[in-house]
Amino acid sequence: MKKIIALALSALMLLGLTACGASEPQTATTAAAAAEVATEAVTEAATASAGEKYVVGVCQLVPHDALDAATQGFCDKLTELLGDNVEIKVQVAAGDSATCAPIVNAFVAEEVDLIMANATFALQAASQATADIPILGTSVTEYGVAMGIEDFSGTVGGNISGTSDLAPLDQQAQMVKDWFPDAKNVGLLYCSAEANSQYQVDTVQKYLEELGFTCTQYPFADSNDMAAVTQTAADNSDVIYVPTDNTVASGSGIVDGICQPAGIPVIAGEEGICGGCGVATLSISYYDLGVKTAEMAAQILTGEADISTMPIGYADTFTPKYNAAICEALGITPLEGYEAIG
């Protein structure tokens, strides 16, 4: 757009100089020629804009099924929409939240046109790195919690927007009742360093208690103490609930290695975790979430939308799924209406 304005103004200046700088009255021929130059300049600017190149930086917190799918959906859709006019640079922080900062700082130094931050820590790092470059988050459960906004209305404002992976938490709580009506004690297992995990377990706990369950939270600080805390949760729970937690997603094998031998079922907040250690989930498609984020990115890059007024986007559908292998191992008959995780 800046290029269009600059070229258009140059053309208009040329027209003005032709009219004002002549020593004798301007003829119809010279005026027409100047007008033609101006028209050609604007047309050239528009053509240049249509082929404008964009660079997008993607910072993903950790490699696991859900975040990988969101990044893939984003890259596929943005490439489909902008073709060769977009270059996407993907960097993964390998699960270390502190690594997100140098990744996004490098994007800022490079002056990329947009940053896609995949997961809460990536979004927080990006927001601290720049107030100018547009930032779209994805796989972020609750933006008010992530950004420290009280009475969050659905729009972050400034240079930030994005998509949320929040599933209906009341329905996830009801799943515990539907699958395990005789259970009494539900353990809530999560990483305390992830603010949105805390938000989810607090919310789910209220719904579970309304359904008559006794709930205990089992937070762990990081992957180093996840096994010990999971063992304590398994020893004291009839069922364990795990939210959309990136640390658990990366270490779902640890949870399964403790809970399955103990005969303790896990209800998971998303499909990737359920595929690793869960019995059932009500989950979104993270690939589709990435697609939705890419559609927002294209609108921002091409000037069709203003990120400061763009509300957070949410998944359109939620699918109940079950883990056939773990159900069989625990002797659990899947409920009707659930589809097996492929």
Side-chain angles (χ1 to χ4, degrees):
M1 186 60 68
K2 290 179 180 178
K3 294 176 182 176
I4 292 176
I5 293 172
L7 286 170
L9 287 175
S10 297
L12 292 174
M13 288 175 65
L14 175 61
L15 180 60
L17 287 171
T18 303
C20 299
S23 59
E24 58 187 50
Q26 183 182 28
T27 66
T29 301
T30 57
E36 183 178 351
V37 170
T39 301
E40 289 177 353
V42 173
T43 301
E44 181 182 349
T47 302
S49 176
E52 186 171 352
K53 303 292 185 180
Y54 306 104
V55 179
V56 174
V58 175
C59 177
Q60 178 178 320
L61 173 64
V62 61
H64 66 66
D65 290 348
L67 300 191
D68 291 347
T71 293
Q72 191 63 56
F74 178 83
C75 293
D76 288 350
K77 187 63 178 180
L78 194 57
T79 301
E80 175 190 327
L81 293 171
L82 299 179
D84 294 336
N85 291 340
V86 65
E87 178 184 1
I88 305 173
K89 300 183 177 183
V90 179
Q91 295 288 330
V92 181
D96 182 4
S97 59
T99 306
C100 291
I103 290 175
V104 294
N105 284 334
F107 288 152
V108 172
E110 189 179 346
E111 297 184 347
V112 299
D113 298 293
L114 183 142
I115 295 172
M116 195 277 265
N118 194 348
T120 299
F121 283 128
L123 175 66
Q124 292 169 335
S127 69
Q128 293 169 6
T130 178
D132 301 315
I133 297 173
I135 299 168
L136 287 176
T138 195
S139 311
V140 176
T141 304
E142 218 288 330
Y143 281 74
V145 173
M147 304 306 299
I149 303 172
E150 295 184 6
D151 300 322
F152 180 60
S153 63
T155 301
V156 177
N159 65 322
I160 297 174
S161 188
T163 56
S164 167
D165 61 357
L166 181 64
L169 297 178
D170 57 338
Q171 295 180 39
Q172 290 192 350
Q174 184 62 48
M175 285 176 60
V176 179
K177 187 72 171 179
D178 293 342
W179 281 77
F180 308 106
D182 297 327
K184 292 183 172 57
N185 299 303
V186 179
L188 306 170
L189 180 68
Y190 66 102
C191 179
S192 58
E194 298 189 32
N196 271 309
S197 293
Q198 184 71 64
Y199 166 78
Q200 289 175 82
V201 297
D202 287 343
T203 304
V204 167
Q205 180 171 342
K206 294 176 183 178
Y207 291 127
L208 288 170
E209 289 174 346
E210 290 174 1
L211 293 171
F213 293 105
T214 298
C215 299
T216 304
Q217 295 190 9
Y218 293 96
F220 54 87
D222 53 38
S223 58
N224 295 321
D225 63 342
M226 182 167 63
V229 174
T230 301
Q231 185 65 64
T232 301
D235 290 342
N236 294 279
S237 307
D238 301 315
V239 183
I240 289 176
Y241 172 81
V242 178
T244 55
D245 185 288
N246 289 302
T247 309
V248 174
S250 299
S252 59
I254 295 173
V255 177
D256 186 54
I258 293 170
C259 292
Q260 190 176 153
I264 304 301
V266 176
I267 295 294
E270 58 93 6
E271 182 177 339
I273 295 176
C274 189
C277 65
V279 167
T281 184
L282 179 65
S283 184
I284 66 170
S285 165
Y286 277 81
Y287 183 90
D288 291 347
L289 197 68
V291 167
K292 183 182 287 288
T293 312
E295 291 170 343
M296 297 168 70
Q299 291 177 330
I300 294 165
L301 290 170
T302 58
E304 296 176 36
D306 180 357
I307 192 170
S308 68
T309 60
M310 182 176 280
I312 300 303
Y314 293 86
D316 298 319
T317 58
F318 305 93
T319 306
K321 295 189 175 184
Y322 71 94
N323 186 321
I326 293 182
C327 283
E328 182 178 357
L330 297 180
I332 298 172
T333 301
L335 300 183
E336 290 186 7
Y338 284 73
E339 64 179 61
I341 295 175

